Amino acid sequence: MKILQLLQELKKPLNRLTKLLWQLMKLLQKIMKLMQNLMKLVHHLMKLMQHLMKLVQYLTKLMQRPLKLMQHLMKLMQHLMKLVQRLMKLVRHLMKLMQHLMKLMQHLMKLMQ
């Protein structure tokens, strides 16, 4: 009788734990999708930087005195590089977050056993 009663008492916490695990897995999936999108964004920004560098090269050939234009383009390139660095930092933080969430999920699974 006591075993049945204990099992009944454990039922609710186990159900809650199961729901939490599902929510955690969904969150992990969303984070992974976000990371994929961030990686795509970084890739596109890198391509944009390449095109901007080609544009700078073309403009220097086209004009004899493009100093101000070049300065603006260089500033734009610097901003793009900073943006790429920040995006990479964000990707690293998201990866760390995902690792922590995975560890949490492992601990929750151990608790369920």
Side-chain angles (χ1 to χ4, degrees), residues 69-102:
L69 181 61
M70 285 289 292
Q71 288 171 346
H72 289 298
L73 283 170
M74 293 302 273
K75 282 182 183 176
L76 181 60
M77 293 266 299
Q78 287 172 350
H79 288 298
L80 279 169
M81 287 173 74
K82 283 182 183 176
L83 182 59
V84 167
Q85 287 173 349
R86 288 181 181 160
L87 282 169
M88 296 297 275
K89 190 175 181 180
L90 180 59
V91 166
R92 283 195 301 272
H93 286 294
L94 281 171
M95 289 175 92
K96 284 182 182 177
L97 176 62
M98 196 172 82
Q99 287 173 350
H100 289 297
L101 287 171
M102 296 278 245

Side-chain angles (χ1 to χ4, degrees), residues 1-17:
M1 263 329 248
K2 281 192 173 187
I3 293 175
L4 284 175
Q5 189 178 2
L6 278 174
L7 284 173
Q8 284 297 324
E9 287 176 16
L10 275 177
K11 189 175 180 180
K12 277 188 181 179
L14 281 175
N15 282 341
R16 283 191 200 129
L17 190 59

Side-chain angles (χ1 to χ4, degrees), residues 98-111:
M98 196 172 82
Q99 287 173 350
H100 289 297
L101 287 171
M102 296 278 245
K103 285 180 183 176
L104 177 62
M105 194 170 75
Q106 288 173 352
H107 288 300
L108 286 173
M109 286 185 155
K110 283 181 183 176
L111 285 176

Side-chain angles (χ1 to χ4, degrees), residues 18-34:
T18 304
K19 284 180 185 177
L20 278 175
L21 277 172
W22 274 110
Q23 289 174 343
L24 185 61
M25 283 178 61
K26 286 180 184 178
L27 181 61
L28 281 171
Q29 288 174 341
K30 287 180 182 179
I31 288 174
M32 286 176 70
K33 184 67 177 172
L34 178 62

